[in-house]
Amino acid sequence: MANFHLQPSVETCHWGYFDAKQRPALTISSGDTVTIDTVSGSPNVIPDRTKFHIPDALDAIHAGLRPEGPHILTGPVFIEGAMPGMVVEIRIHDVSLLQDWGFNLILPLLGTLPHDYDEPRHVNIPLDRARNVGILPWGLELDLKPFFGVMGFAPPKGWGRISSIAPQATGGNLDNKELTAGSTLFLPVFTEGGLFSCGDGHGAQGDGEVCVTAIETALRGTFEFILHKDLAFTYPRAETPTHYITMGMDPDLDQCAVKALREMITLIGEKTGLSAADAYMLCSLAGDLHVTQTVNVSKGVHMMIEKKLLTPRKEH
């Protein structure tokens, strides 16, 4: 199994979209591990260069790429043998900060309260990497729990180029704060090679991400990619060391909850052999629905259930 390091540049990044016709930045085999560096933000969010570290790649990307959306993504990574109908297991081994600042934006007409704030607001947030805290303007030191807001595959070729803003069955802008180091994301494949890209680094985020942004920052992630030909589900799933996670994305938050719940009922049936009715009951007794985000055109809900509860059904 090989190890690779993919760094951001004009040649290895794309800004604001996923596209099945895009040339891979890296080709790997199942079982390989890739460390991926990312950058984040447009030129108008850069802080005082005399006080903070600005990655060289960020300036080059600003000069060399045309933005088609908010997210600067590193990739795509082509996984040999990955074909539509298969699933790739993405083990997130490590996530770490690459700079000493982040930013947060409030933008009129966007967010969960689109009409409450009439002026745009931009705040740079110092990040103390040694103590793993972000220092908010009023002095609060907020614990950092870094993760990638965007991790996804390219869509089917027939979709053409799609925005990175709305999450899809392909993954993308999931903004799921549970996907920190030690978790695993499962993504169905929709085009040859999968074409994995990531970005939208978050230093910290609450469920909801209500003002559109988290602490946006540059991150380094180490991912192991494992191809599964025997899995057939068609929507993202995830695991933490203790929980299974299913997801639902839709412009209607109620439908997000319905989708995440139905996905969990299916997962429980697969793991335990329980009937759909028994799985539904277990979800009501022990499953937790969380509002993932309410700001990305398609909103998100994820459902979590403890792994220890899903033991194979015992016959009586």
Side-chain angles (χ1 to χ4, degrees), residues 90-93 151 178-185 238-241:
I90 304 163
R91 297 179 180 176
I92 306 168
H93 289 303
M151 293 181 284
E178 303 295 337
L179 301 181
T180 55
S183 64
T184 301
L185 176 64
E239 297 180 14
T240 71

Side-chain angles (χ1 to χ4, degrees), residues 176-218:
N176 190 321
K177 72 175 189 178
E178 303 295 337
L179 301 181
T180 55
S183 64
T184 301
L185 176 64
F186 293 83
L187 291 178
V189 178
F190 290 88
T191 194
E192 183 179 1
L195 296 176
F196 176 85
S197 300
C198 66
D200 188 29
H202 291 171
Q205 179 204 294
D207 278 339
E209 199 192 21
V210 293
C211 82
V212 179
T213 52
I215 299 181
E216 310 291 323
T217 191

